[in-house]
Amino acid sequence: MFTRLSITTYEKGSWFHGTRQPWDNNGSREVYLTKHPDEAVGFAYGGHLGGEGERPQFHKFKVKKGGVVNIDEGIDASINEEEGSKDMLEVIEDAVTKYKKDPSVKYIEFNHPSISGKRDEFTARIALRPNEDLNKIGTWLSPMKKGMD
């Protein structure tokens, strides 16, 4: 149901995370990332995961290279089942639970509908162990400040 991808290099470029929560690098929760700052802005202001809290924040990261598993096939199969299907969030949660135990997998990825409206969808990547694999290089309290892109 999930497709294991080859080891991918993530050193080039930055990844972004939008939230209303202060950055807490204790690694207790996975972190959703995107290469598109405008999509991170949508998550910081939106009412979905990470969208609750006091103040929208935008975090910029360098990420370590490592194994990636694409879960689009599992999401598509679940959505196409008529009975007993899981929704997208349940498939993501199952993948996080499964692959968080596998040290060779650092990230899971899937296509996410665009929040910004600038594209149909974007690749969302989830860092399974952020305290080990993410290096925060900036935080902004207002979107699209110099250095975010």
Side-chain angles (χ1 to χ4, degrees):
M1 187 181 303
F2 302 126
T3 304
R4 184 179 292 261
L5 301 178
S6 60
I7 301 299
T8 305
T9 302
Y10 286 128
E11 290 101 1
K12 294 182 181 176
S14 299
W15 292 79
F16 302 90
H17 174 69
T19 183
R20 288 186 184 220
Q21 305 291 323
W23 172 245
D24 179 10
N25 194 24
N26 67 11
S28 62
R29 239 191 109 107
E30 61 278 356
V31 174
Y32 286 63
L33 303 165
T34 174
K35 290 291 281 182
H36 304 285
D38 57 312
E39 299 295 352
V41 169
F43 279 97
Y45 283 101
H48 27 285
L49 287 178
E52 296 179 15
E54 297 297 318
R55 212 168 162 183
Q57 298 179 34
F58 313 92
H59 305 290
K60 182 177 182 179
F61 298 95
K62 291 289 183 187
V63 299
K64 290 183 182 177
K65 64 181 174 179
V68 180
V69 173
N70 183 289
I71 62 170
D72 282 326
E73 188 178 315
I75 291 170
D76 292 344
S78 178
I79 290 171
N80 292 329
E81 288 180 20
E82 290 185 27
E83 289 186 39
S85 66
K86 296 180 179 182
D87 66 24
M88 184 175 181
L89 186 56
E90 289 173 309
V91 174
I92 294 167
E93 289 171 350
D94 288 351
V96 167
T97 300
K98 177 178 179 176
Y99 289 108
K100 206 168 196 176
K101 299 173 189 171
D102 182 344
S104 71
V105 177
K106 292 186 179 286
Y107 311 96
I108 58 175
E109 73 173 17
F110 58 96
N111 289 323
H112 191 289
S114 177
I115 296 167
S116 72
K118 293 183 179 178
R119 55 197 62 80
D120 290 335
E121 60 187 15
F122 66 95
T123 299
R125 292 212 170 94
I126 301 174
L128 298 174
R129 291 169 290 283
N131 59 328
E132 297 173 15
D133 300 320
L134 300 182
N135 178 22
K136 186 175 81 155
I137 56 175
T139 294
W140 291 261
L141 299 178
S142 297
M144 310 315 278
K145 294 286 186 181
K146 184 175 180 172
M148 256 195 87
D149 52 4

PDB file of all heavy atoms in Angstrom, residues 89-114:
ATOM      1  N   LEU A  89      -6.634  11.398   6.646  1.00  0.00           N
ATOM      2  CA  LEU A  89      -5.934  11.572   7.921  1.00  0.00           C
ATOM      3  C   LEU A  89      -5.651  10.231   8.598  1.00  0.00           C
ATOM      4  O   LEU A  89      -4.564  10.029   9.154  1.00  0.00           O
ATOM      5  CB  LEU A  89      -6.732  12.495   8.841  1.00  0.00           C
ATOM      6  CG  LEU A  89      -6.040  12.880  10.144  1.00  0.00           C
ATOM      7  CD1 LEU A  89      -4.692  13.531   9.892  1.00  0.00           C
ATOM      8  CD2 LEU A  89      -6.931  13.805  10.956  1.00  0.00           C
ATOM      9  N   GLU A  90      -6.591   9.297   8.519  1.00  0.00           N
ATOM     10  CA  GLU A  90      -6.360   7.974   9.115  1.00  0.00           C
ATOM     11  C   GLU A  90      -5.230   7.224   8.415  1.00  0.00           C
ATOM     12  O   GLU A  90      -4.416   6.563   9.061  1.00  0.00           O
ATOM     13  CB  GLU A  90      -7.643   7.140   9.066  1.00  0.00           C
ATOM     14  CG  GLU A  90      -8.712   7.622  10.010  1.00  0.00           C
ATOM     15  CD  GLU A  90     -10.020   6.874   9.814  1.00  0.00           C
ATOM     16  OE1 GLU A  90     -10.502   6.782   8.670  1.00  0.00           O
ATOM     17  OE2 GLU A  90     -10.557   6.385  10.832  1.00  0.00           O
ATOM     18  N   VAL A  91      -5.161   7.331   7.096  1.00  0.00           N
ATOM     19  CA  VAL A  91      -4.075   6.688   6.351  1.00  0.00           C
ATOM     20  C   VAL A  91      -2.737   7.313   6.745  1.00  0.00           C
ATOM     21  O   VAL A  91      -1.742   6.609   6.968  1.00  0.00           O
ATOM     22  CB  VAL A  91      -4.306   6.797   4.827  1.00  0.00           C
ATOM     23  CG1 VAL A  91      -3.109   6.255   4.059  1.00  0.00           C
ATOM     24  CG2 VAL A  91      -5.579   6.043   4.423  1.00  0.00           C
ATOM     25  N   ILE A  92      -2.704   8.642   6.867  1.00  0.00           N
ATOM     26  CA  ILE A  92      -1.475   9.328   7.279  1.00  0.00           C
ATOM     27  C   ILE A  92      -1.068   8.886   8.683  1.00  0.00           C
ATOM     28  O   ILE A  92       0.101   8.569   8.934  1.00  0.00           O
ATOM     29  CB  ILE A  92      -1.656  10.858   7.202  1.00  0.00           C
ATOM     30  CG1 ILE A  92      -1.842  11.286   5.754  1.00  0.00           C
ATOM     31  CG2 ILE A  92      -0.474  11.582   7.848  1.00  0.00           C
ATOM     32  CD1 ILE A  92      -2.336  12.717   5.590  1.00  0.00           C
ATOM     33  N   GLU A  93      -2.018   8.852   9.606  1.00  0.00           N
ATOM     34  CA  GLU A  93      -1.715   8.436  10.984  1.00  0.00           C
ATOM     35  C   GLU A  93      -1.194   7.004  11.029  1.00  0.00           C
ATOM     36  O   GLU A  93      -0.252   6.704  11.779  1.00  0.00           O
ATOM     37  CB  GLU A  93      -2.955   8.583  11.869  1.00  0.00           C
ATOM     38  CG  GLU A  93      -3.307  10.032  12.146  1.00  0.00           C
ATOM     39  CD  GLU A  93      -4.659  10.196  12.835  1.00  0.00           C
ATOM     40  OE1 GLU A  93      -5.431   9.221  12.943  1.00  0.00           O
ATOM     41  OE2 GLU A  93      -4.945  11.336  13.254  1.00  0.00           O
ATOM     42  N   ASP A  94      -1.778   6.110  10.236  1.00  0.00           N
ATOM     43  CA  ASP A  94      -1.296   4.724  10.181  1.00  0.00           C
ATOM     44  C   ASP A  94       0.143   4.671   9.666  1.00  0.00           C
ATOM     45  O   ASP A  94       0.973   3.930  10.196  1.00  0.00           O
ATOM     46  CB  ASP A  94      -2.188   3.868   9.275  1.00  0.00           C
ATOM     47  CG  ASP A  94      -3.548   3.568   9.880  1.00  0.00           C
ATOM     48  OD1 ASP A  94      -3.771   3.865  11.074  1.00  0.00           O
ATOM     49  OD2 ASP A  94      -4.412   3.048   9.134  1.00  0.00           O
ATOM     50  N   ALA A  95       0.433   5.454   8.638  1.00  0.00           N
ATOM     51  CA  ALA A  95       1.789   5.469   8.076  1.00  0.00           C
ATOM     52  C   ALA A  95       2.786   6.039   9.078  1.00  0.00           C
ATOM     53  O   ALA A  95       3.892   5.510   9.239  1.00  0.00           O
ATOM     54  CB  ALA A  95       1.821   6.270   6.784  1.00  0.00           C
ATOM     55  N   VAL A  96       2.415   7.095   9.776  1.00  0.00           N
ATOM     56  CA  VAL A  96       3.296   7.674  10.799  1.00  0.00           C
ATOM     57  C   VAL A  96       3.603   6.633  11.868  1.00  0.00           C
ATOM     58  O   VAL A  96       4.764   6.417  12.233  1.00  0.00           O
ATOM     59  CB  VAL A  96       2.676   8.948  11.417  1.00  0.00           C
ATOM     60  CG1 VAL A  96       3.416   9.355  12.684  1.00  0.00           C
ATOM     61  CG2 VAL A  96       2.677  10.086  10.407  1.00  0.00           C
ATOM     62  N   THR A  97       2.569   5.961  12.359  1.00  0.00           N
ATOM     63  CA  THR A  97       2.762   4.938  13.392  1.00  0.00           C
ATOM     64  C   THR A  97       3.674   3.823  12.897  1.00  0.00           C
ATOM     65  O   THR A  97       4.593   3.401  13.607  1.00  0.00           O
ATOM     66  CB  THR A  97       1.401   4.357  13.821  1.00  0.00           C
ATOM     67  OG1 THR A  97       0.598   5.416  14.345  1.00  0.00           O
ATOM     68  CG2 THR A  97       1.569   3.270  14.863  1.00  0.00           C
ATOM     69  N   LYS A  98       3.447   3.366  11.681  1.00  0.00           N
ATOM     70  CA  LYS A  98       4.245   2.271  11.126  1.00  0.00           C
ATOM     71  C   LYS A  98       5.704   2.667  10.922  1.00  0.00           C
ATOM     72  O   LYS A  98       6.615   1.963  11.330  1.00  0.00           O
ATOM     73  CB  LYS A  98       3.638   1.820   9.800  1.00  0.00           C
ATOM     74  CG  LYS A  98       4.438   0.739   9.102  1.00  0.00           C
ATOM     75  CD  LYS A  98       3.785   0.296   7.812  1.00  0.00           C
ATOM     76  CE  LYS A  98       4.623  -0.774   7.132  1.00  0.00           C
ATOM     77  NZ  LYS A  98       3.987  -1.288   5.926  1.00  0.00           N
ATOM     78  N   TYR A  99       5.932   3.803  10.270  1.00  0.00           N
ATOM     79  CA  TYR A  99       7.291   4.143   9.859  1.00  0.00           C
ATOM     80  C   TYR A  99       8.098   4.873  10.920  1.00  0.00           C
ATOM     81  O   TYR A  99       9.315   4.947  10.823  1.00  0.00           O
ATOM     82  CB  TYR A  99       7.254   4.927   8.541  1.00  0.00           C
ATOM     83  CG  TYR A  99       6.857   4.024   7.406  1.00  0.00           C
ATOM     84  CD1 TYR A  99       5.613   4.123   6.807  1.00  0.00           C
ATOM     85  CD2 TYR A  99       7.720   3.026   6.972  1.00  0.00           C
ATOM     86  CE1 TYR A  99       5.249   3.271   5.786  1.00  0.00           C
ATOM     87  CE2 TYR A  99       7.350   2.162   5.948  1.00  0.00           C
ATOM     88  CZ  TYR A  99       6.121   2.295   5.361  1.00  0.00           C
ATOM     89  OH  TYR A  99       5.756   1.432   4.358  1.00  0.00           O
ATOM     90  N   LYS A 100       7.453   5.378  11.947  1.00  0.00           N
ATOM     91  CA  LYS A 100       8.203   6.008  13.040  1.00  0.00           C
ATOM     92  C   LYS A 100       9.084   4.975  13.739  1.00  0.00           C
ATOM     93  O   LYS A 100      10.100   5.305  14.334  1.00  0.00           O
ATOM     94  CB  LYS A 100       7.238   6.659  14.020  1.00  0.00           C
ATOM     95  CG  LYS A 100       7.841   7.806  14.786  1.00  0.00           C
ATOM     96  CD  LYS A 100       6.782   8.602  15.510  1.00  0.00           C
ATOM     97  CE  LYS A 100       7.362   9.930  15.932  1.00  0.00           C
ATOM     98  NZ  LYS A 100       6.380  10.795  16.550  1.00  0.00           N
ATOM     99  N   LYS A 101       8.697   3.714  13.639  1.00  0.00           N
ATOM    100  CA  LYS A 101       9.452   2.619  14.261  1.00  0.00           C
ATOM    101  C   LYS A 101      10.621   2.148  13.402  1.00  0.00           C
ATOM    102  O   LYS A 101      11.453   1.382  13.867  1.00  0.00           O
ATOM    103  CB  LYS A 101       8.516   1.441  14.527  1.00  0.00           C
ATOM    104  CG  LYS A 101       7.382   1.760  15.469  1.00  0.00           C
ATOM    105  CD  LYS A 101       6.400   0.606  15.543  1.00  0.00           C
ATOM    106  CE  LYS A 101       5.161   1.010  16.311  1.00  0.00           C
ATOM    107  NZ  LYS A 101       4.109   0.011  16.234  1.00  0.00           N
ATOM    108  N   ASP A 102      10.664   2.569  12.156  1.00  0.00           N
ATOM    109  CA  ASP A 102      11.685   2.117  11.209  1.00  0.00           C
ATOM    110  C   ASP A 102      12.765   3.193  11.081  1.00  0.00           C
ATOM    111  O   ASP A 102      12.534   4.228  10.468  1.00  0.00           O
ATOM    112  CB  ASP A 102      11.039   1.843   9.852  1.00  0.00           C
ATOM    113  CG  ASP A 102      12.007   1.309   8.812  1.00  0.00           C
ATOM    114  OD1 ASP A 102      13.235   1.416   9.010  1.00  0.00           O
ATOM    115  OD2 ASP A 102      11.526   0.806   7.785  1.00  0.00           O
ATOM    116  N   PRO A 103      13.953   2.964  11.629  1.00  0.00           N
ATOM    117  CA  PRO A 103      14.989   3.998  11.603  1.00  0.00           C
ATOM    118  C   PRO A 103      15.505   4.343  10.214  1.00  0.00           C
ATOM    119  O   PRO A 103      16.109   5.400  10.021  1.00  0.00           O
ATOM    120  CB  PRO A 103      16.103   3.424  12.473  1.00  0.00           C
ATOM    121  CG  PRO A 103      15.856   1.964  12.520  1.00  0.00           C
ATOM    122  CD  PRO A 103      14.388   1.757  12.320  1.00  0.00           C
ATOM    123  N   SER A 104      15.243   3.497   9.219  1.00  0.00           N
ATOM    124  CA  SER A 104      15.696   3.800   7.864  1.00  0.00           C
ATOM    125  C   SER A 104      14.779   4.800   7.155  1.00  0.00           C
ATOM    126  O   SER A 104      15.127   5.329   6.115  1.00  0.00           O
ATOM    127  CB  SER A 104      15.809   2.519   7.029  1.00  0.00           C
ATOM    128  OG  SER A 104      14.522   2.012   6.724  1.00  0.00           O
ATOM    129  N   VAL A 105      13.609   5.063   7.729  1.00  0.00           N
ATOM    130  CA  VAL A 105      12.661   6.008   7.136  1.00  0.00           C
ATOM    131  C   VAL A 105      12.635   7.271   7.994  1.00  0.00           C
ATOM    132  O   VAL A 105      12.315   7.218   9.173  1.00  0.00           O
ATOM    133  CB  VAL A 105      11.243   5.403   7.035  1.00  0.00           C
ATOM    134  CG1 VAL A 105      10.250   6.423   6.497  1.00  0.00           C
ATOM    135  CG2 VAL A 105      11.249   4.147   6.181  1.00  0.00           C
ATOM    136  N   LYS A 106      12.990   8.377   7.386  1.00  0.00           N
ATOM    137  CA  LYS A 106      12.969   9.659   8.092  1.00  0.00           C
ATOM    138  C   LYS A 106      11.720  10.471   7.782  1.00  0.00           C
ATOM    139  O   LYS A 106      11.295  11.291   8.584  1.00  0.00           O
ATOM    140  CB  LYS A 106      14.212  10.477   7.741  1.00  0.00           C
ATOM    141  CG  LYS A 106      15.497   9.876   8.280  1.00  0.00           C
ATOM    142  CD  LYS A 106      16.663  10.801   8.024  1.00  0.00           C
ATOM    143  CE  LYS A 106      17.949  10.241   8.565  1.00  0.00           C
ATOM    144  NZ  LYS A 106      18.049  10.301  10.002  1.00  0.00           N
ATOM    145  N   TYR A 107      11.153  10.248   6.593  1.00  0.00           N
ATOM    146  CA  TYR A 107      10.039  11.071   6.131  1.00  0.00           C
ATOM    147  C   TYR A 107       9.002  10.216   5.417  1.00  0.00           C
ATOM    148  O   TYR A 107       9.334   9.216   4.798  1.00  0.00           O
ATOM    149  CB  TYR A 107      10.522  12.142   5.133  1.00  0.00           C
ATOM    150  CG  TYR A 107      11.715  12.910   5.623  1.00  0.00           C
ATOM    151  CD1 TYR A 107      13.013  12.545   5.246  1.00  0.00           C
ATOM    152  CD2 TYR A 107      11.558  13.986   6.481  1.00  0.00           C
ATOM    153  CE1 TYR A 107      14.116  13.237   5.716  1.00  0.00           C
ATOM    154  CE2 TYR A 107      12.659  14.688   6.949  1.00  0.00           C
ATOM    155  CZ  TYR A 107      13.934  14.304   6.570  1.00  0.00           C
ATOM    156  OH  TYR A 107      15.026  14.987   7.032  1.00  0.00           O
ATOM    157  N   ILE A 108       7.742  10.634   5.518  1.00  0.00           N
ATOM    158  CA  ILE A 108       6.720  10.125   4.619  1.00  0.00           C
ATOM    159  C   ILE A 108       6.224  11.320   3.816  1.00  0.00           C
ATOM    160  O   ILE A 108       6.317  12.470   4.257  1.00  0.00           O
ATOM    161  CB  ILE A 108       5.569   9.390   5.337  1.00  0.00           C
ATOM    162  CG1 ILE A 108       4.862  10.273   6.348  1.00  0.00           C
ATOM    163  CG2 ILE A 108       6.079   8.130   6.002  1.00  0.00           C
ATOM    164  CD1 ILE A 108       3.651   9.608   6.976  1.00  0.00           C
ATOM    165  N   GLU A 109       5.753  11.059   2.602  1.00  0.00           N
ATOM    166  CA  GLU A 109       5.282  12.144   1.749  1.00  0.00           C
ATOM    167  C   GLU A 109       4.002  11.742   1.050  1.00  0.00           C
ATOM    168  O   GLU A 109       3.707  10.559   0.883  1.00  0.00           O
ATOM    169  CB  GLU A 109       6.347  12.542   0.730  1.00  0.00           C
ATOM    170  CG  GLU A 109       6.533  11.544  -0.376  1.00  0.00           C
ATOM    171  CD  GLU A 109       7.472  12.059  -1.469  1.00  0.00           C
ATOM    172  OE1 GLU A 109       8.224  13.018  -1.265  1.00  0.00           O
ATOM    173  OE2 GLU A 109       7.422  11.459  -2.558  1.00  0.00           O
ATOM    174  N   PHE A 110       3.246  12.764   0.666  1.00  0.00           N
ATOM    175  CA  PHE A 110       2.015  12.553  -0.082  1.00  0.00           C
ATOM    176  C   PHE A 110       1.637  13.861  -0.756  1.00  0.00           C
ATOM    177  O   PHE A 110       2.099  14.933  -0.361  1.00  0.00           O
ATOM    178  CB  PHE A 110       0.881  12.075   0.837  1.00  0.00           C
ATOM    179  CG  PHE A 110       0.576  13.026   1.967  1.00  0.00           C
ATOM    180  CD1 PHE A 110      -0.453  13.951   1.857  1.00  0.00           C
ATOM    181  CD2 PHE A 110       1.320  12.994   3.133  1.00  0.00           C
ATOM    182  CE1 PHE A 110      -0.730  14.829   2.892  1.00  0.00           C
ATOM    183  CE2 PHE A 110       1.047  13.869   4.182  1.00  0.00           C
ATOM    184  CZ  PHE A 110       0.017  14.789   4.050  1.00  0.00           C
ATOM    185  N   ASN A 111       0.798  13.761  -1.775  1.00  0.00           N
ATOM    186  CA  ASN A 111       0.284  14.954  -2.436  1.00  0.00           C
ATOM    187  C   ASN A 111      -0.873  15.507  -1.619  1.00  0.00           C
ATOM    188  O   ASN A 111      -1.797  14.775  -1.265  1.00  0.00           O
ATOM    189  CB  ASN A 111      -0.167  14.642  -3.857  1.00  0.00           C
ATOM    190  CG  ASN A 111       1.007  14.371  -4.762  1.00  0.00           C
ATOM    191  OD1 ASN A 111       2.056  15.001  -4.640  1.00  0.00           O
ATOM    192  ND2 ASN A 111       0.858  13.429  -5.668  1.00  0.00           N
ATOM    193  N   HIS A 112      -0.798  16.782  -1.327  1.00  0.00           N
ATOM    194  CA  HIS A 112      -1.797  17.460  -0.501  1.00  0.00           C
ATOM    195  C   HIS A 112      -2.485  18.526  -1.360  1.00  0.00           C
ATOM    196  O   HIS A 112      -1.810  19.251  -2.083  1.00  0.00           O
ATOM    197  CB  HIS A 112      -1.095  18.120   0.693  1.00  0.00           C
ATOM    198  CG  HIS A 112      -2.023  18.613   1.743  1.00  0.00           C
ATOM    199  ND1 HIS A 112      -2.844  19.708   1.557  1.00  0.00           N
ATOM    200  CD2 HIS A 112      -2.248  18.173   2.999  1.00  0.00           C
ATOM    201  CE1 HIS A 112      -3.545  19.906   2.665  1.00  0.00           C
ATOM    202  NE2 HIS A 112      -3.205  18.998   3.548  1.00  0.00           N
ATOM    203  N   PRO A 113      -3.801  18.650  -1.288  1.00  0.00           N
ATOM    204  CA  PRO A 113      -4.458  19.728  -2.028  1.00  0.00           C
ATOM    205  C   PRO A 113      -3.899  21.084  -1.600  1.00  0.00           C
ATOM    206  O   PRO A 113      -3.613  21.307  -0.423  1.00  0.00           O
ATOM    207  CB  PRO A 113      -5.927  19.595  -1.617  1.00  0.00           C
ATOM    208  CG  PRO A 113      -6.068  18.190  -1.131  1.00  0.00           C
ATOM    209  CD  PRO A 113      -4.740  17.828  -0.530  1.00  0.00           C
ATOM    210  N   SER A 114      -3.752  21.969  -2.554  1.00  0.00           N
ATOM    211  CA  SER A 114      -3.191  23.288  -2.264  1.00  0.00           C
ATOM    212  C   SER A 114      -4.088  24.079  -1.332  1.00  0.00           C
ATOM    213  O   SER A 114      -5.318  24.023  -1.417  1.00  0.00           O
ATOM    214  CB  SER A 114      -2.999  24.072  -3.562  1.00  0.00           C
ATOM    215  OG  SER A 114      -2.525  25.366  -3.294  1.00  0.00           O
TER     216      SER A 114
END
